[in-house]
Amino acid sequence: MYSLDRDPLLLTPGPLTTSLRTKQAMLHDWGSWDSAFNRITAEVCSQLVDIVHGSETHVCVPLQGSGTFSVEATLGTLVPRHGKVLVPNNGAYCARILKILTYLGRESVELPFAEDQPADPAAIETALMADPGITHVAQVHCETGTGILNPLAEIAAAVARQGRGLIIDAMSSFAAIEIDVRTTPFDALIAASGKCLEGVPGLGFVIIRRTQLEASAGNCHSLSMDLHDQWAYMQKTSQWRFTPPTHVVAALHEALAQYREEGGLSARGDRYMANCVALVEGMRELGLKSFLLPALQAPIIVTFHAPAHPAYNFNTFYQGVRERGFILYPGKLTQVETFRVGCIGALTPQDIAKVVDAVGATLRDMGVAVMV
Ligand SMILES: *Cc1c(COP(=O)(O)O)cnc(C)c1O
C-alpha cells in the first residue's frame, strides 16, 4: 500500500474536508475583546441571515459547541416551560430532538414515519388540529441519518396555517438547499460552521425571528444555553458572552468568502448534486444500491446497503478505503446493514470518482463479489 502525503478526504457529514484557505485562516490569534475580531463575528452573523433572506425579520445568534448544543439551546430558549413540541420522526436526528426535550422537561409528541419515508405535511397539520396544546413543531430538514429530504416548504405552510412556531434543524442542508424565510416561515433555524458552509466544526448558530427571541427572556433552564442572554449581551457589547471559538469564527468568515466566490447557494447545491450523482452512479456500477428512492435523496449524504456477501465486514471495508485515502461513515439504521458516504465538503465529482475506485478495489481485495 502506498502512503499518502495528504490527509484522507472526509466523505462524512461533518467534520468535512476544508480548503487550504479555510485552514490558513486559523493561523492567527485573536483577542475576544478586540474590535477586529468582533467585526468578524458581526460580518459572519449578517451574512448567515442573508442566506435565508431574513435581514428584515430575523437575527443570528452564534453559540459555542457542536450543532447539537445549538439545537438544545434553541429548544430550551424558545419553548416555554409549559410548551409542547410536535416532532415528526423519520430518523436519528429527529430522535435526538425528542431526547433533548425529555432532558429539558419540555412536553413532546412524536409523529413517527418510516426511515425511508419523508415527513407528511398533511399528517403534521392533522396532528396540530387535534391538539391545540402543541406550541411548536421541531422539524429536521435533511435527516442526515439516512440522507432523506423532508418537504420543508409544505410543512412550514401547514405550521403557519395552524398558528404554531416552527423550529428547523437545517444543520446538514443550510447554505446548499434553498430555504427562504419570506416563503418558508420559521421561528428558528439551526445550523453549524462545519457542514455545508465548509468551515471547521466548533460553533452552531441559530437564525431566530427577532420578536420570538425578544419574548423568550427567562425561558431557558441553563445559563450557557440561553440564546436570549447570548444575544442580549452581544447586542450590548458586540462581544461573545463567554470565550469565543476565535479560530473557528475566523475560518467560517473565510469559508463564507469562498462560498460567495463559488456562486453562493445555487453553485454550492449544484456541486453537491454533481457529487451525489457521480457517487450513486459509480456505486451502482459496482453493484452497490442506495437505500432511498432517488426522488427522496438529498444531495448531502447517501446511505448504501452493505454488500450481501459473507466476506463483507464494515471495519475491514472502512480500513481498506481509508488506506486508499478516503474516510467513510458507518450506517445509522437499526434494521438493515448500511454505510454512508457524504457528498459535502471541499470535494468535486473528480474526487468522488476516486472514492468509487477505492471502494471497488477494497471490495475486490476483500473477496466480495462485485456484480454489475
Ligand atoms: C450534524 C447534525 C447535527 C449536529 O450534530 P453535532 O454532532 O452535534 O454537530 C444535528 N442535526 C443534523 C440533521 C445534523 O446533520
Side-chain angles (χ1 to χ4, degrees), residues 13-14 65-71 93-94 96-97 140-145 169-173 190 192 195 201 300 329:
S66 87
T68 304
F69 290 58
S70 284
V71 176
Y93 289 91
C94 308
R96 187 179 294 176
I97 289 177
V140 175
H141 186 201
C142 169
E143 170 45 75
T144 321
D169 173 350
M171 207 72 67
S172 62
S173 57
I190 308 142
K195 300 244 172 161
I300 303 297
Y329 215 56

Side-chain angles (χ1 to χ4, degrees), residues 36-198:
F37 176 70
N38 293 322
R39 209 160 36 241
I40 292 178
T41 300
E43 281 177 20
V44 164
C45 285
S46 83
Q47 290 167 14
L48 293 174
V49 174
D50 285 345
I51 292 174
V52 295
H53 312 282
S55 59
E56 299 281 308
T57 47
H58 287 62
V59 296
C60 172
V61 188
L63 184 71
Q64 298 92 331
S66 87
T68 304
F69 290 58
S70 284
V71 176
E72 183 157 344
T74 305
L75 294 167
T77 302
L78 290 190
V79 180
R81 305 228 176 159
H82 299 291
K84 188 173 182 180
V85 185
L86 179 75
V87 185
N89 180 1
N90 62 347
Y93 289 91
C94 308
R96 187 179 294 176
I97 289 177
L98 285 160
K99 193 170 180 183
I100 290 171
L101 289 165
T102 304
Y103 266 77
L104 296 180
R106 301 297 198 277
E107 206 180 334
S108 62
V109 185
E110 179 187 6
L111 184 60
F113 296 97
E115 281 181 312
D116 60 354
Q117 292 301 316
D120 175 11
I124 291 169
E125 190 155 17
T126 305
L128 293 178
M129 288 190 290
D131 187 349
I134 294 171
T135 54
H136 294 80
V137 174
Q139 179 65 54
V140 175
H141 186 201
C142 169
E143 170 45 75
T144 321
T146 54
I148 198 168
L149 191 65
N150 284 312
L152 188 62
E154 292 81 356
I155 292 168
V159 175
R161 269 196 301 276
Q162 297 304 318
R164 320 299 166 88
L166 178 62
I167 293 171
I168 305 168
D169 173 350
M171 207 72 67
S172 62
S173 57
F174 179 80
I177 300 175
E178 175 79 0
I179 304 170
D180 184 333
V181 72
R182 298 167 303 183
T183 49
T184 301
F186 59 78
D187 280 358
L189 176 150
I190 308 142
S193 53
K195 300 244 172 161
C196 300
L197 288 169
E198 301 182 1

Side-chain angles (χ1 to χ4, degrees), residues 1-6 320-326 354 358:
M1 195 60 58
Y2 62 94
S3 73
L4 291 163
D5 62 354
R6 58 159 174 81
V321 176
R322 192 194 193 288
E323 280 161 21
R324 292 173 169 86
F326 305 96
K354 293 182 194 140

